C-alpha cells in the first residue's frame, strides 16, 4: 500500500512538474498554440491569416483559438463598414456554423466549426476588400 501511494504521488508530481506547453510543428518550426495565435494576429490581412490557420491546423479543439484569431483579423476588414442588417446577417451565418456540428461528439467537430466561422469571416473580408478596391 505504501509503495502504491508513493508511486501515485510521484506520478502526480512528475506530471505537474514536467507538463510542457503543447507544441506543434507549424511553418516548419515548433510553436505553441499561443505562438500560432500571435502569428495569425501579426499577419497583414485576412488571406494570410487564413493561410497560417490552414497550415497550422490541429483538427482538434485548439483550432477554436486559431479560428477566433482569424475571425478577428478578417473582421477588421469589414465590421466597421457593416450596417446593422449586415451585421445581423453575418452573426446569423456564424450561428449556422455553430449549429452545424452541435450534436456531434469529438474535438474534430470543434475544428470544423472553427473553420466554418473563419471561412464566413474570410468571405465577408473578400467582399469588403473587393468593393473597396483594396487588395491585401
Amino acid at each position: 500500500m505504501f509503495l502504491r501511494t508513493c508511486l501515485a504521488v510521484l506520478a502526480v508530481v512528475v506530471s505537474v512538474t514536467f507538463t510542457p506547453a503543447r507544441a506543434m510543428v507549424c511553418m516548419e518550426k515548433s510553436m505553441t498554440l499561443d505562438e500560432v495565435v500571435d502569428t495569425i494576429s501579426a499577419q497583414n490581412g485576412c488571406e494570410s491569416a487564413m493561410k497560417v490557420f490552414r497550415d497550422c491546423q490541429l483538427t482538434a479543439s485548439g483550432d477554436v483559438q486559431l479560428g477566433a484569431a482569424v475571425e478577428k483579423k478578417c473582421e477588421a476588414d469589414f465590421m466597421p463598414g457593416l450596417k446593422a442588417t449586415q451585421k445581423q446577417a453575418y452573426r446569423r451565418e456564424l450561428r449556422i456554423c455553430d449549429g452545424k456540428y452541435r450534436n456531434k461528439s469529438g474535438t474534430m467537430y470543434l475544428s470544423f466549426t472553427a473553420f466554418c466561422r473563419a471561412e464566413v469571416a474570410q468571405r465577408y473580408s473578400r467582399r469588403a476588400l473587393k468593393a473597396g478596391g483594396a487588395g491585401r
Side-chain angles (χ1 to χ4, degrees):
M1 181 72 169
F2 176 74
L3 182 58
R4 277 190 206 166
T5 304
C6 287
L7 289 175
V9 169
L10 180 62
V12 169
V13 169
V14 168
S15 69
V16 170
T17 305
F18 296 109
T19 303
R22 295 189 131 211
M24 65 186 91
V25 175
C26 174
M27 298 168 36
E28 298 182 19
K29 64 182 183 176
S30 180
M31 300 172 76
T32 66
L33 191 61
D34 289 339
E35 289 171 329
V36 177
V37 168
D38 291 343
T39 300
I40 289 170
S41 299
Q43 296 303 299
N44 288 331
C46 179
E47 294 300 319
S48 57
M50 190 64 163
K51 182 182 181 333
V52 173
F53 185 21
R54 284 196 174 102
D55 290 348
C56 300
Q57 69 180 299
L58 300 165
T59 315
S61 61
D63 286 347
V64 172
Q65 282 181 266
L66 303 182
V70 171
E71 282 181 57
K72 184 176 179 181
K73 179 57 78 171
C74 295
E75 286 175 352
D77 292 337
F78 65 85
M79 197 57 96
L82 289 185
K83 296 176 183 163
T85 55
Q86 293 168 317
K87 285 181 183 180
Q88 288 174 344
Y90 173 65
R91 290 187 185 113
R92 185 173 37 255
E93 287 187 54
L94 294 178
R95 282 194 306 273
I96 290 169
C97 290
D98 293 340
K100 197 171 186 178
Y101 304 104
R102 179 172 285 139
N103 296 322
K104 303 287 186 181
S105 62
T107 60
M108 71 181 179
Y109 293 106
L110 296 174
S111 173
F112 297 166
T113 299
F115 267 97
C116 180
R117 291 176 60 96
E119 288 165 354
V120 168
Q122 182 183 37
R123 249 189 338 271
Y124 272 74
S125 170
R126 284 178 177 163
R127 284 184 212 146
L129 294 176
K130 184 177 179 183
R136 283 189 187 177

